[in-house]
Amino acid sequence: MEVKGTKEAFAQMLSERGVYKKLGVDRSTVANWKTYLKEGRSISLDKMEEMLLKYGASVVQEKVWKV
Protein backbone atom coordinates (compact mmCIF):
# COMPACT_ATOMS: atom_id res chain seq x y z
CA MET A 1 0.00 0.00 0.00
CA GLU A 2 1.35 3.43 -0.91
CA VAL A 3 0.81 6.26 1.53
CA LYS A 4 1.82 9.88 0.99
CA GLY A 5 3.82 11.52 3.74
CA THR A 6 5.95 10.16 6.54
CA LYS A 7 3.44 11.01 9.25
CA GLU A 8 0.62 9.26 7.39
CA ALA A 9 2.77 6.19 6.77
CA PHE A 10 3.76 6.14 10.45
CA ALA A 11 0.10 6.31 11.53
CA GLN A 12 -0.81 3.54 9.07
CA MET A 13 1.97 1.36 10.45
CA LEU A 14 0.83 1.95 14.05
CA SER A 15 -2.70 0.85 13.17
CA GLU A 16 -1.47 -2.72 12.62
CA ARG A 17 -2.25 -5.01 15.52
CA GLY A 18 0.89 -6.24 17.32
CA VAL A 19 3.22 -3.88 15.44
CA TYR A 20 5.32 -3.43 18.58
CA LYS A 21 6.69 -6.96 18.05
CA LYS A 22 7.96 -6.11 14.55
CA LEU A 23 9.49 -2.87 15.81
CA GLY A 24 11.09 -4.35 18.91
CA VAL A 25 9.56 -1.75 21.24
CA ASP A 26 7.18 -1.95 24.20
CA ARG A 27 3.42 -1.90 23.70
CA SER A 28 3.33 1.26 25.81
CA THR A 29 5.69 3.02 23.40
CA VAL A 30 3.34 2.34 20.50
CA ALA A 31 0.39 3.48 22.64
CA ASN A 32 2.24 6.71 23.44
CA TRP A 33 2.98 7.35 19.75
CA LYS A 34 -0.69 6.83 18.89
CA THR A 35 -1.67 9.31 21.61
CA TYR A 36 0.91 11.85 20.40
CA LEU A 37 -0.49 11.66 16.85
CA LYS A 38 -4.08 11.97 18.07
CA GLU A 39 -3.22 15.00 20.22
CA GLY A 40 -1.15 16.64 17.51
CA ARG A 41 2.06 16.40 19.53
CA SER A 42 5.26 15.89 17.61
CA ILE A 43 7.34 12.79 17.09
CA SER A 44 10.68 13.41 15.43
CA LEU A 45 10.82 12.76 11.71
CA ASP A 46 14.01 10.77 12.26
CA LYS A 47 12.25 8.46 14.74
CA MET A 48 9.30 7.94 12.39
CA GLU A 49 11.62 7.12 9.48
CA GLU A 50 13.70 4.79 11.67
CA MET A 51 10.61 2.83 12.75
CA LEU A 52 9.16 2.70 9.22
CA LEU A 53 12.42 1.23 7.91
CA LYS A 54 12.48 -1.27 10.78
CA TYR A 55 8.90 -2.21 9.88
CA GLY A 56 10.01 -2.92 6.31
CA ALA A 57 8.53 0.11 4.58
CA SER A 58 10.46 1.73 1.76
CA VAL A 59 10.65 5.22 0.30
CA VAL A 60 9.02 5.36 -3.13
CA GLN A 61 10.16 8.89 -3.97
CA GLU A 62 12.88 10.93 -2.29
CA LYS A 63 12.19 14.41 -0.98
CA VAL A 64 12.40 17.15 -3.58
CA TRP A 65 13.61 20.58 -2.46
CA LYS A 66 13.39 23.87 -4.32
CA VAL A 67 15.46 26.68 -2.82
Side-chain angles (χ1 to χ4, degrees):
M1 168 190 290
E2 285 190 23
V3 180
K4 286 192 176 185
T6 303
K7 190 173 182 180
E8 290 79 7
F10 188 72
Q12 180 70 36
M13 175 190 71
L14 293 181
S15 70
E16 181 181 312
R17 186 177 171 94
V19 72
Y20 70 96
K21 295 174 192 172
K22 280 187 179 179
L23 300 177
V25 297
D26 292 334
R27 291 172 85 174
S28 61
T29 302
V30 172
N32 287 337
W33 288 336
K34 287 179 181 180
T35 302
Y36 290 173
L37 290 176
K38 186 186 284 187
E39 294 176 351
R41 294 167 60 188
S42 67
I43 302 167
S44 78
L45 191 58
D46 288 340
K47 179 54 80 177
M48 285 192 261
E49 289 178 355
E50 175 189 343
M51 292 296 115
L52 283 164
L53 290 172
K54 226 176 188 183
Y55 178 73
S58 60
V59 177
V60 176
Q61 180 179 350
E62 285 293 324
K63 299 171 191 165
V64 178
W65 295 81
K66 181 177 181 182
V67 180

